[in-house]
Amino acid sequence: MISAGEFVQKSLGLHLFFLRIMKEHSIFLEAGFVPKDQALAWSAEMFKNEFNQLLEQAVELANDNVSGEVLGSGEVVTVNTVAAEEKTKELTGIDIDLALSKKELRLRPGRGNPSLEAKIERFNLIAMQQTKSLIDFKTLLLEKILECNLFAFNFPLLIEHLREEAMFYLERLEKLQERRKTAPRQKIIEEKVFWDHIMAEHAMFISHLLDPSEKTLITQADNFARVFTQLEQQVKRLEKTGKANRMLRELFNEELKATRDIRDFKSKGGQLILACQVRSIINPLLADHVLREANHFLNELEHLKV
Ligand SMILES: [Fe+2]
Ligand SMILES: [Fe+2]
């Protein structure tokens, strides 16, 4: 069982990362519809607003109640988030709350205040409910696209990917609500299987959203896709065979290196996109978003003991 303080701190850390992720998924969906599907774009806009409100509340609660590791990892906001939001707002016409991101840059760390336990428990329930609705929306879109009843400028695999991330958030919250502590080995394996898969898909998306003339970047992205697909398969094999922790440790070191490399690649790519030096259909906020997801995974890896 985790303590009340830990429950508060872990819940808020998770929300700061994932509520923003959910809000941005809504923005990416909204930006991908054609004029005919204005009603779907409105639904996405509503999700964006609702997640923005939840994030606002989480930010209020998080001051002095969230770990320094989370705040320092670059998973909540990066140095480029505000600029990426500003540019994406200008390019898409979608309203984005820049003031909230600036507020997040000023958040102070602290141990979770145990007296907030009941309040956080209620907040978690609301976030879970809202995330379930977003999962349903993503499922609806995916089905329509796969049945060829909807055309959107988001790949089906991307929508599936956004849905998987929402489901992962939901599972994490369900576990937290039960105050359950996962065994370290199990936790490492679960996180690795999930995030290896996510990192591999990011690399594939980057490769496909770059202009075909960007050959060097495409090759680099394809290499990352290969590396993370292999890492995912290796850890799955290890999980099946129950092999020794020594092997997990070796794999873990490979993982750290690969994740730092993809983090650097995304960080550089994001800066180039912001500086208008890459030909692509990647909006600056998407570039910053996938960087934050790599930062989150790296933070998890760096603080897990094998
Ligand atoms: Fe995402
Ligand atoms: Fe992602």
Side-chain angles (χ1 to χ4, degrees):
M1 289 281 280
I2 58 169
S3 70
E6 257 182 293
F7 170 73
V8 167
Q9 199 196 43
K10 284 197 158 78
S11 298
L12 288 169
L14 199 67
H15 290 313
L16 287 186
F17 172 67
F18 268 114
L19 284 174
R20 171 174 285 277
I21 293 297
M22 296 302 116
K23 160 178 132 167
E24 291 173 352
H25 287 175
S26 313
I27 295 172
F28 305 145
L29 291 173
E30 184 177 353
F33 293 118
V34 294
K36 174 180 172 286
D37 294 306
Q38 192 55 47
L40 290 174
W42 272 115
S43 300
E45 167 76 14
M46 267 167 51
F47 276 113
K48 180 210 72 179
N49 290 336
E50 280 157 9
F51 278 105
N52 195 64
Q53 275 172 19
L54 286 178
L55 181 60
E56 224 169 359
Q57 292 170 34
V59 170
E60 288 298 324
L61 289 163
N63 244 334
D64 301 320
N65 283 313
V66 74
S67 84
E69 277 107 45
V70 166
L71 291 182
S73 65
E75 67 180 87
V76 175
V77 269
T78 73
V79 286
N80 284 326
T81 303
V82 174
E85 287 182 322
E86 203 163 19
K87 189 68 190 169
T88 303
K89 185 175 169 177
E90 176 198 319
L91 293 173
T92 61
I94 297 172
D95 192 30
I96 304 177
D97 187 352
L98 305 184
L100 182 57
S101 316
K102 289 178 189 159
K103 213 186 250 178
E104 284 183 277
L105 285 164
R106 296 192 297 268
L107 276 173
R108 292 182 309 265
R111 302 156 93 82
N113 179 351
S115 70
L116 289 173
E117 188 182 17
K119 195 171 189 175
I120 298 295
E121 194 171 299
R122 283 195 300 276
F123 185 78
N124 289 358
L125 279 177
I126 298 169
M128 285 160 76
Q129 205 45 51
Q130 195 53 37
T131 304
K132 278 183 196 156
S133 305
L134 185 60
I135 292 171
D136 291 344
F137 182 58
K138 289 167 177 171
T139 303
L140 172 87
L141 296 178
L142 187 63
E143 283 172 1
K144 278 176 170 274
I145 291 172
L146 294 180
E147 287 161 2
C148 298
N149 289 322
L150 173 68
F151 176 85
F153 287 98
N154 279 307
F155 294 124
L157 186 67
L158 183 88
I159 298 178
E160 239 166 15
H161 176 103
L162 306 184
R163 188 173 63 168
E164 278 173 30
E165 289 178 355
M167 286 158 84
F168 192 73
Y169 177 33
L170 195 58
E171 276 169 32
R172 284 283 166 276
L173 283 175
E174 279 163 0
K175 270 193 187 159
L176 268 174
Q177 290 292 74
E178 291 170 16
R179 315 292 194 274
R180 233 196 296 163
K181 222 177 198 162
T182 323
R185 182 185 164 98
Q186 193 49 36
K187 165 118 173 127
I188 292 167
I189 290 177
E190 275 176 24
E191 292 281 333
K192 264 184 57 48
V193 168
F194 179 75
W195 289 106
D196 280 342
H197 176 70
I198 292 292
M199 293 299 124
E201 288 188 348
H202 285 172
M204 289 191 262
F205 298 139
I206 294 169
S207 166
H208 284 70
L209 294 169
L210 282 162
D211 188 84
S213 65
E214 294 283 4
K215 294 210 166 42
T216 313
L217 287 174
I218 291 173
T219 306
Q220 287 174 338
D222 289 342
N223 282 336
F224 279 118
R226 219 172 359 257
V227 167
F228 279 99
T229 303
Q230 276 168 5
L231 283 166
E232 183 194 353
Q233 285 162 353
Q234 279 170 298
V235 76
K236 276 186 175 161
R237 266 203 299 276
L238 209 69
E239 189 183 18
K240 255 195 217 133
T241 55
K243 285 256 171 67
N245 277 354
R246 183 180 54 81
M247 293 185 71
L248 188 58
R249 222 165 5 242
E250 276 169 27
L251 196 58
F252 191 81
N253 290 333
E254 266 181 64
E255 182 81 56
L256 262 179
K257 191 190 171 309
T259 311
R260 285 184 184 132
D261 288 347
I262 199 170
R263 186 261 327 263
D264 293 345
F265 174 69
K266 288 171 171 176
S267 169
K268 187 90 199 14
Q271 285 165 21
L272 289 173
I273 287 171
L274 257 182
C276 195
Q277 283 172 14
V278 178
R279 293 185 182 199
S280 78
I281 48 168
I282 300 170
N283 72 54
L285 190 58
L286 178 61
D288 194 69
H289 179 101
V290 294
L291 170 62
R292 267 180 271 119
E293 288 178 358
N295 286 340
H296 174 79
F297 182 32
L298 202 54
N299 186 28
E300 295 276 317
L301 283 175
E302 283 170 348
H303 294 95
L304 285 170
K305 299 271 177 294
V306 189

